[in-house]
Amino acid sequence: LGVGPVPVAVRALGILDFTDVETVEAFRLLRMLCRDYGYFFSARCIAFSDWFAVITSLVVAMLLILIENKVYWLISKGYLVNVVVLSLVLIILIINLIFLGGSLNLQMQRQVYLIEVLTSQIESNESERLAYCPRDNIQPDPLIRTALRLCQVLCDQIKSDNLENPSKLLGVYAGFGLLSSFYAVPVFVFSRLLNLCVDRPDF
């Protein structure tokens, strides 16, 4: 649990000594290890979500075609139940992806922001140290300079990962933009189902 308004993730990142080259390099390697370790599982989840969305879309599209052409004799109650269940599962999948996938994408941006804040503070402290040192003893710390360069490399890697491998569905970035891209689809489908029930009360 966090203490006050500061979350655990922020406090944990704050105790890392980013002035130490080995710490920064270890953090970078640990992050790469976690990313590579979960890569194939993540790829399977994305592939399953995409294929499920495609198959559900085809099933719903076939129903809409039958309704528009009034070929009601090919529509059974079992088919309608399957369409409704698949549509609801897809909606739940999209909502989960909006919150979980969107939070994962935002977490990468948050990491970059926190690392940049820490490196800015380190640079400021180093500048103050050099400013208050006697003129003949000014020696920039090479280890801190190396650590800051590694921090910049780390930020660039996180930004690249966020751009190249974000959480998404059918190529759409996971977030509230995903909801705005698909919100009209279930409304249209259920309106057509309502028309079907009006035309065929026996359903």
Side-chain angles (χ1 to χ4, degrees):
L1 297 176
V3 177
V6 182
V8 172
V10 178
R11 292 191 294 110
L13 189 58
I15 64 177
L16 295 177
D17 185 7
F18 275 76
T19 61
D20 181 63
V21 176
E22 293 183 356
T23 300
V24 179
E25 182 65 14
F27 181 81
R28 188 179 71 86
L29 293 176
L30 178 62
R31 184 186 171 279
M32 292 174 61
L33 175 65
C34 295
R35 182 198 62 186
D36 294 340
Y37 183 77
Y39 174 78
F40 291 104
F41 176 76
S42 177
R44 287 196 299 271
C45 291
I46 292 174
F48 172 80
S49 300
D50 288 346
W51 278 107
F52 181 80
V54 169
I55 292 173
T56 302
S57 300
L58 291 176
V59 172
V60 173
M62 179 61 68
L63 175 63
L64 294 177
I65 291 173
L66 294 177
I67 293 175
E68 291 297 326
N69 293 307
K70 299 188 182 299
V71 188
Y72 296 139
W73 60 275
L74 287 177
I75 303 175
S76 64
K77 293 181 180 179
Y79 186 31
L80 287 177
V81 171
N82 285 333
V83 170
V84 172
V85 170
L86 287 175
S87 300
L88 290 177
V89 172
L90 181 59
I91 291 172
I92 294 173
L93 172 66
I94 292 175
I95 293 175
N96 283 334
L97 197 58
I98 287 171
F99 288 99
L100 298 180
S103 65
L104 179 61
N105 293 333
L106 290 175
Q107 193 70 342
M108 293 186 185
Q109 300 174 14
R110 186 188 183 108
Q111 286 182 1
V112 172
Y113 170 74
L114 292 175
I115 294 172
E116 288 179 344
V117 169
L118 288 174
T119 53
S120 297
Q121 185 63 44
I122 293 170
E123 289 178 343
S124 176
N125 293 340
E126 180 69 3
S127 299
E128 290 180 4
R129 184 185 72 84
L130 296 176
Y132 287 107
C133 283
R135 289 294 176 182
D136 54 347
N137 292 328
I138 295 179
Q139 293 292 334
D141 192 335
L143 293 179
I144 290 182
R145 294 297 178 185
T146 304
L148 291 175
R149 284 197 296 270
L150 285 176
C151 287
Q152 185 58 49
V153 171
L154 176 61
C155 289
D156 292 339
Q157 287 181 345
I158 297 175
K159 290 177 182 178
S160 177
D161 289 342
N162 195 24
L163 289 175
E164 295 177 4
N165 301 304
S167 297
K168 54 188 177 180
L169 178 67
L170 296 177
V172 181
Y173 192 83
F176 287 98
L178 182 64
L179 184 62
S180 62
S181 299
F182 294 107
Y183 79 95
V185 176
V187 175
F188 178 76
V189 171
F190 284 108
S191 67
R192 288 296 177 267
L193 289 177
L194 181 61
N195 293 338
L196 173 65
C197 294
V198 172
D199 294 340
R200 293 290 302 273
D202 52 317
F203 279 123

